[in-house]
Amino acid sequence: MGLNKNNGLNKLMGDLDLVYSKELGLDVNQVSQIAVDKIHANPFQPRKHFDAQALEELANSIKEYGLLQPIVVLKKDENSFVLIAGERRLRASKALGLKKIAAFVADVDEDKLRELALIENIQRENLNPIELAHSYKSLIEEHKITQENLAQLIHKGRTQITNTLRLLNLDEKTQELIAQGKISQGHAKVLVGLEKEDEQAIANSIIGQKLTVSQTERLVRDLKNKGKSGSGESEELDRGVVEIKKILEEYGFRCESKGEKLTIHLTNADKIKKLLEILNF
């Protein structure tokens, strides 16, 4: 589906209040009080991490001033609702022990749940870089649009979209560190493209030594330069081991070589004596 055919997605990218009132078929002036234990999380919610301190602050705000913005739910039946927007508000309300919560009840096809969760979170800019990357990826795949199309839709630079998506090429452990905020997106960009072992080692260094982005870039640059200069030496060493193996085999020794490693089987005292002679001991 190209950008010119994507009118529905364009509409969903608009102002959220308009989305809720027009696209979801609800009246923003009509709010229902719904039992919190009847509301289930949207299975397509891209957001997985919730800051405990931020939730506590939100809960305190709700306790003092009340819930200023109702959540949005989809009605499945009389005793079951699916959350579309407002998971932080719902979690904070549950933490306060509230039995009911103010909610807009949307009339929308269940197939739109995933799309709505993605748009709601992207628009509110409350996803960590990894969650945002998954949201971008899902929108691109589901709507068959390019990164350029997506950049236009959400008013962000294509380079920013590309750099965010590249984070998904990192090891899952590294992605988790980014999601937890232990490694910034600036640090993470430097790690993309490294061998997994090097990636993990530098990720640990970023956290353990509290490296800045520039220090991390320098470390990665030194690592790459070291690899280039050492590759020729390694190949030469491997060839040397093969040559030694060949010479020893001519003297009747049984040898095995693997890369830089040479194994010589010395089965008796005569073999040891012979080897010492060859080595001029």
Side-chain angles (χ1 to χ4, degrees):
M1 185 185 296
L3 183 63
N4 58 339
K5 298 179 182 179
N6 232 351
N7 293 330
L9 184 57
N10 271 296
K11 289 179 182 178
L12 286 172
M13 287 292 183
D15 182 81
L16 285 178
D17 289 335
L18 293 177
V19 171
Y20 293 156
S21 61
K22 294 180 181 179
E23 293 296 322
L24 303 189
L26 57 84
D27 184 350
V28 294
N29 296 314
Q30 278 193 338
V31 177
S32 302
Q33 292 292 327
I34 299 176
V36 295
D37 60 2
K38 292 183 179 181
I39 302 172
H40 307 287
N42 184 342
F44 304 116
Q45 164 66 267
R47 193 175 187 194
K48 305 301 179 186
H49 295 82
F50 295 85
D51 184 84
Q53 184 177 348
L55 281 175
E56 184 178 354
E57 291 173 355
L58 178 58
N60 291 334
S61 175
I62 293 174
K63 184 177 181 180
E64 184 172 356
Y65 302 108
L67 185 66
L68 301 180
Q69 184 180 12
I71 63 173
V72 181
V73 298
L74 167 69
K75 184 176 181 179
K76 298 193 72 176
D77 55 52
E78 291 300 323
N79 295 305
S80 181
F81 299 83
V82 177
L83 184 69
I84 293 178
E87 185 158 356
R88 289 180 68 252
R89 282 164 277 162
L90 179 61
R91 285 175 178 248
S93 298
K94 286 181 177 180
L96 289 172
L98 300 181
K99 301 300 181 185
K100 292 188 176 183
I101 188 171
F104 296 125
V105 181
D107 180 18
V108 62
D109 191 282
E110 190 170 352
D111 291 340
K112 281 193 175 182
L113 280 179
R114 182 186 184 90
E115 184 177 78
L116 292 169
L118 293 169
I119 301 303
E120 200 268 345
N121 278 287
I122 288 177
Q123 290 289 68
R124 295 192 186 282
E125 297 184 347
N126 59 0
L127 297 178
N128 66 56
I130 298 301
E131 292 168 336
L132 193 59
H134 282 295
S135 296
Y136 289 166
K137 185 173 183 286
S138 295
L139 286 172
I140 287 171
E141 290 178 349
E142 288 188 16
H143 293 278
K144 296 179 173 60
I145 58 176
T146 65
Q147 292 183 24
E148 185 68 38
N149 295 154
L150 181 60
Q152 293 174 22
L153 284 169
I154 62 178
H155 308 295
K156 294 186 183 293
R158 190 189 64 78
T159 301
Q160 184 178 351
I161 301 290
T162 300
N163 286 337
T164 301
L165 285 169
R166 289 179 71 210
L167 299 179
L168 298 180
N169 295 327
L170 293 169
D171 184 77
E172 289 185 4
K173 292 180 181 178
T174 306
Q175 290 187 37
E176 184 63 23
L177 292 173
I178 298 167
Q180 293 171 356
K182 294 180 179 179
I183 292 179
S184 73
Q185 187 166 357
H187 286 97
K189 286 193 301 183
V190 185
L191 300 177
V192 175
L194 292 176
E195 295 293 333
K196 295 304 179 184
E197 289 185 4
D198 293 335
E199 176 191 316
Q200 186 175 4
I202 293 181
N204 291 336
S205 295
I206 292 171
I207 297 172
Q209 300 184 46
K210 295 181 171 52
L211 300 179
T212 64
V213 173
S214 60
Q215 288 173 328
T216 305
E217 288 174 338
R218 192 158 52 247
L219 185 61
V220 170
R221 188 165 54 248
D222 290 344
L223 178 67
K224 289 180 177 179
N225 290 335
K226 181 180 178 182
K228 289 178 182 178
S229 62
S231 60
E233 294 177 6
S234 179
E235 290 176 5
E236 186 176 349
L237 184 58
D238 290 350
R239 286 195 297 270
V241 169
V242 172
E243 288 299 319
I244 294 173
K245 175 176 179 286
K246 190 182 299 183
I247 293 171
L248 291 174
E249 285 176 337
E250 289 176 358
Y251 281 98
F253 290 95
R254 187 166 67 86
C255 305
E256 295 173 2
S257 64
K258 184 177 181 182
E260 302 170 1
K261 184 178 179 181
L262 176 65
T263 303
I264 306 171
H265 296 273
L266 301 173
T267 54
N268 54 54
D270 289 339
K271 290 287 186 184
I272 297 174
K273 185 178 179 181
K274 187 64 175 178
L275 180 60
L276 292 174
E277 288 177 1
I278 295 171
L279 297 175
N280 292 321
F281 276 93

